[in-house]
Amino acid sequence: MSKTKGANNATFNLEPGGILTGTVQVPGDKSMSHRSIMFGGIADGVTEVEGFLEGEDCLRTLDAFSAMGVRIEHAAGGSVVIHGQGTGALKPAAKEIYLGNSGTGMRLMTGLLAGLNLPSTLTGDDSLSVRPMRRITEPLAQMGAKISTGDAGTPPLNIASGDPLTGIHYECPMASAQVKSAVLLAGLHASGTTSVSEPDVTRDHTERMLKGFGVDVQTGHLTASVKGGQALQGTSLQVPGDISSSAFFLVGAAMTPGSSLTLTNVGINPTRTGVIDILKLMGADIRIENERETGGEPVADLVVTGTQLMGIEVPEPLVSLAIDEFPAIFVAAASATGTTVVTGAEELRVKETDRIAVMADGLALLGVNIEATADGARIVGGPIQGGTVDSVGDHRTAMAFSMAALRSSGPITIHDCDNVNTSFPNYVGIAAGAGLRITASLSEG
Ligand code: S3P
């Protein structure tokens, strides 16, 4: 499903064994990096961002705001300066806006642009083009937005100009920070108040970061609301390391006796830390050190010591707090003693790939006893063999499979790995530096 399927595309080659040691700094948080551009792009005045994730997804969002007339300076190393001039300076992009692999880019921008009444066409790669968008277009239509999708409710999305939007209360049927955020961002420029309630807690970066831009956002346990007509003020932001990128290293080190790894400057927002809780329930030795706060977000260093993990029934309240980490958690479960059962995780089927299917197919090829279910999987831990698997162009399945090599008996080859660059530039270099026996090569389709 990656955009380059059939052309030259990276293959990861793993030799079995090894341990993870030393110190790793993973790249910046993807969710926060997207939002920093979007909010800085509509704010009054300058926004300075440090630690911006220079992955393809966030760069597409940066390009989109440049195409709509926002002056953005970007220096290598994650320094970005956004010269916001409020919403009035934004103009419709001259051509369609291509958002690559990024569901976050597309869903959040659709809410924002619909509220701003900026006609646009948003497109994506093969994966994004089959992802469900009615989950945002339906509540936005209730607010008065005019957005058309493909027949199956998939991209491209055409946002037509129309009357100003009206605030609504939306009961979100699924636990999705992207849907919550799309509605709230539309609500910023709607009349009256817009509120969203969600069935389970999802990441709250939109709410926290909008507050940092001076917006009055009311938040409760499962609700958030904004009054329309509020202006954003430019600010300074430090983006911490992405806990979702850290998750591969957390799992790799936690499940491999002899490992001893420190992950520095990781965002530990409590709406994102489900992976730490789940691994600890499996017996992992993870210490949270040097806790501090930057830009309204908690940050810490994570110290992991390897051990033999145990299978568990993953508590359903932790699922939405670890939603991007299940590919890695499935690998932890494969190496554990006993059985791990994941339920209530049907959202995994509509990520960059159907992550339940891709992980079940790949782990089965590595000799793991795994049964996919409608909303999760049942994984019996045991020996992991070498073999060849397909990430199906999904960054997180590619990185998760690579960590399996720490506990496999033979080499593992992973196809279709280019999209690792969407969230984790230089993954191979950083993982090899920590002790993963990984190299990348180019393969023909
Ligand atoms: C994200 C929300 C999650 C997550 C995605 C990033 C965000 O998606 O999977 O990687 O930044 O809001 P859903 O809201 O679809 O669960």
Side-chain angles (χ1 to χ4, degrees):
M1 285 224 201
S2 77
K3 61 185 181 293
T4 48
K5 185 99 177 163
N8 284 341
N9 193 315
T11 292
F12 287 173
N13 310 295
L14 282 301
E15 290 301 322
I19 54 173
L20 299 185
T21 57
T23 300
V24 164
Q25 173 62 61
V26 299
D29 187 272
K30 182 158 72 72
S31 294
M32 292 178 65
S33 295
H34 278 297
R35 286 162 172 82
S36 70
I37 299 291
M38 294 182 197
F39 302 171
I42 61 166
D44 284 317
V46 173
T47 294
E48 290 177 338
V49 185
E50 293 295 334
F52 178 78
L53 169 62
E54 288 157 329
E56 287 169 4
D57 278 9
C58 299
L59 292 172
R60 295 290 81 77
T61 293
L62 193 156
D63 290 346
F65 276 78
S66 299
M68 290 187 291
V70 180
R71 186 158 75 82
I72 305 178
E73 296 167 75
H74 174 201
S79 291
V80 177
V81 180
I82 307 154
H83 297 268
Q85 293 185 285
T87 54
L90 287 186
K91 53 182 193 318
K95 50 185 178 111
E96 62 183 35
I97 298 175
Y98 177 71
L99 295 168
N101 196 240
S102 179
T104 308
M106 183 169 284
R107 294 196 178 113
L108 270 59
M109 278 184 61
T110 300
L112 194 63
L113 298 183
L116 290 171
N117 215 346
L118 273 181
S120 340
T121 299
L122 307 185
T123 64
D125 70 3
D126 291 351
S127 161
L128 186 52
S129 297
V130 295
R131 293 185 67 185
M133 292 296 152
R134 285 195 183 119
R135 52 178 56 200
I136 55 160
T137 58
E138 282 173 1
L140 294 173
Q142 288 174 28
M143 299 175 79
K146 294 191 168 51
I147 306 168
S148 65
T149 67
D151 286 344
T154 50
L157 299 183
N158 284 294
I159 305 167
S161 63
D163 294 330
L165 302 190
T166 309
I168 56 167
H169 172 68
Y170 189 59
E171 302 263 347
C172 193
M174 70 287 288
S176 168
Q178 293 179 358
V179 177
K180 172 178 65 176
S181 301
V183 174
L184 290 175
L185 294 179
L188 275 180
H189 304 104
S191 61
T193 297
T194 297
S195 57
V196 181
S197 61
E198 51 187 1
D200 291 299
V201 175
T202 65
R203 66 192 66 196
D204 64 356
H205 301 298
T206 295
E207 298 91 306
R208 284 175 187 251
M209 201 182 283
L210 281 177
K211 287 178 188 170
F213 278 88
V215 175
D216 177 17
V217 186
Q218 297 294 321
T219 44
H221 173 48
L222 291 167
T223 59
S225 67
V226 285
K227 275 208 183 77
Q230 301 186 62
L232 280 67
Q233 296 301 326
T235 187
S236 295
L237 278 166
Q238 289 262 341
V239 179
D242 195 325
I243 192 167
S244 298
S245 298
S246 306
F248 306 104
F249 292 90
L250 279 178
V251 161
M255 73 181 195
T256 310
S259 290
S260 173
L261 190 72
T262 300
L263 293 149
T264 50
N265 190 34
V266 181
I268 54 158
N269 176 318
T271 61
R272 299 283 301 278
T273 46
V275 63
I276 297 176
D277 298 330
I278 292 169
L279 288 172
K280 281 188 170 171
L281 289 172
M282 297 176 82
D285 180 348
I286 302 173
R287 289 199 319 278
I288 299 177
E289 292 188 350
N290 196 13
E291 265 189 78
R292 55 214 187 262
E293 193 169 298
T294 14
E297 293 272 354
V299 174
D301 301 334
L302 306 178
V303 182
V304 197
T305 306
T307 185
Q308 175 59 47
L309 300 180
M310 296 164 306
I312 58 163
E313 287 190 15
V314 175
E316 287 197 11
L318 292 178
V319 167
S320 64
L321 310 179
I323 194 64
D324 287 344
E325 284 63 79
F326 280 94
I329 291 167
F330 281 18
V331 170
S335 79
T337 309
T339 301
T340 296
V341 183
V342 177
T343 54
E346 59 278 357
E347 278 293 304
L348 295 177
R349 294 211 177 263
V350 290
K351 294 295 178 190
E352 285 83 329
T353 57
D354 175 342
R355 288 184 174 156
I356 294 175
V358 173
M359 291 308 298
D361 289 351
L363 287 174
L365 284 167
L366 301 180
V368 175
N369 179 347
I370 176 167
E371 181 199 338
T373 59
D375 65 343
R378 190 170 179 282
I379 303 157
V380 184
I384 301 175
Q385 298 162 15
T388 298
V389 299
D390 191 346
S391 80
V392 195
D394 184 331
H395 55 140
R396 299 205 195 281
T397 61
M399 290 184 273
F401 285 134
S402 74
M403 288 293 167
L406 290 161
R407 292 288 302 265
S408 69
S409 55
I412 296 178
T413 303
I414 309 163
H415 287 308
D416 206 356
C417 295
D418 265 2
N419 280 338
V420 167
N421 290 322
T422 60
S423 67
F424 203 140
N426 192 27
Y427 173 70
V428 170
I430 291 174
L436 193 67
R437 297 173 176 167
I438 184 170
T439 56
S441 56
L442 279 182
S443 58
E444 293 284 339

